Amino acid sequence: KRKIIIDTDPGIDDTYAIIAALKYEGFDVQGITVVAGNVGLDNCVNNALGIVNLMDAECLVYPGAEAPLKLLNENKTYTLDGLVHGESGLGTVQLTPDFSKKSDTHAVDYILETVKENPGEIEIIALGPLTNIALAIQKDKETMKKVKKIWSMGGGVRYGNRTPVAEFNYWADPEAAKVTYDEIGEEVEISMIGLDVTQQTRFNLDDLFFLRTECGELGALLGEMSNHYMETYWNALRITGVIVHDLVAVMLAIDPSLSSEDDVFERVNLQMECEGICAGQSVVQFTPNETEAKNATVYMGIDNVEFKKAFFQLVFPEYYT
Ligand code: BDR
Ligand code: CA
């Protein structure tokens, strides 16, 4: 089985993603590390503990960074200005946290210990700002070079969603994304699964209806959770349905062939902009010259129909044929 750490800020789409990862038999989810992002750290941790309880998962939850690098360095607290996922992070749904699954070990130490114990074997699926990953690199870069692979939902070549050029996770902590790609991107394969990919996917109203009415209790719960997300999409973008960004990263980690070979660009150059109006932008050079680091793999497309089919078959095999 592949050894996985999920780093996350749950989050409605994180919840879909974590459930899929926990359901997939090819993954041995070692632990869930949590970062502040969609909502503050405490809410994200409680939501992660709720998901672990819901799914009866064995892994522990490790609280991590309370704020992005810049704020941590200035000793400032993290406050949010937009609540795409509702105040608690899961729309109107309240899960019951299993506090016995909360570890006292900090996420950063847990990541480093686990990589040390399993050099070359750990894959990290990062579904939030990259703060925990960057802190781990700053603490012990040589160990982090022994990560097998990082799948990062974030960034975008052609679009932003938090600003015209910046996607939320990379906008929330651009310095962390920069540290990650700059410091270990040449040694560790980091796959950017950004808005170019996720925005090609959509759970439309039919999918959400099916989920809510035909997929048992878990489907009803995800459907209910998605109502808030759906309203956000409608109010902000006049889009019906939802884009379940983080789930795309997990489904691609499970089966990269959901993207055609033409949509995957290996060993390209990615640079993060951290200042000014372009802060949080991921700038990709698809044909790097000799002086530019080949520090990223960038996904640019996915088959939306196959993606959704793979999700329903994985999580709801008894209801989906
Ligand atoms: C990303 O931002 C968050 O709101 C989602 O959970 C996802 O990780 C999409 O831009
Ligand atoms: Ca997320």
Side-chain angles (χ1 to χ4, degrees), residues 31-34 40-53 57-64 66 96-107 110:
I32 298 179
T33 54
V34 182
L41 184 69
D42 290 347
N43 274 331
C44 289
V45 168
N46 285 349
N47 293 341
L49 292 168
I51 299 165
V52 164
N53 195 13
E58 277 174 16
C59 61
L60 297 185
V61 170
Y62 300 82
E66 280 174 45
T96 310
D98 176 356
F99 288 106
S100 73
K101 291 286 168 60
K102 183 173 171 183
S103 171
D104 291 335
T105 306
H106 191 281
Y110 170 73

Side-chain angles (χ1 to χ4, degrees), residues 114-136:
T114 312
V115 175
K116 267 188 209 153
E117 278 165 23
N118 305 273
E121 287 187 63
I122 300 293
E123 293 176 64
I124 300 175
I125 304 181
L127 307 174
L130 290 166
T131 321
N132 286 337
I133 315 302
L135 286 170

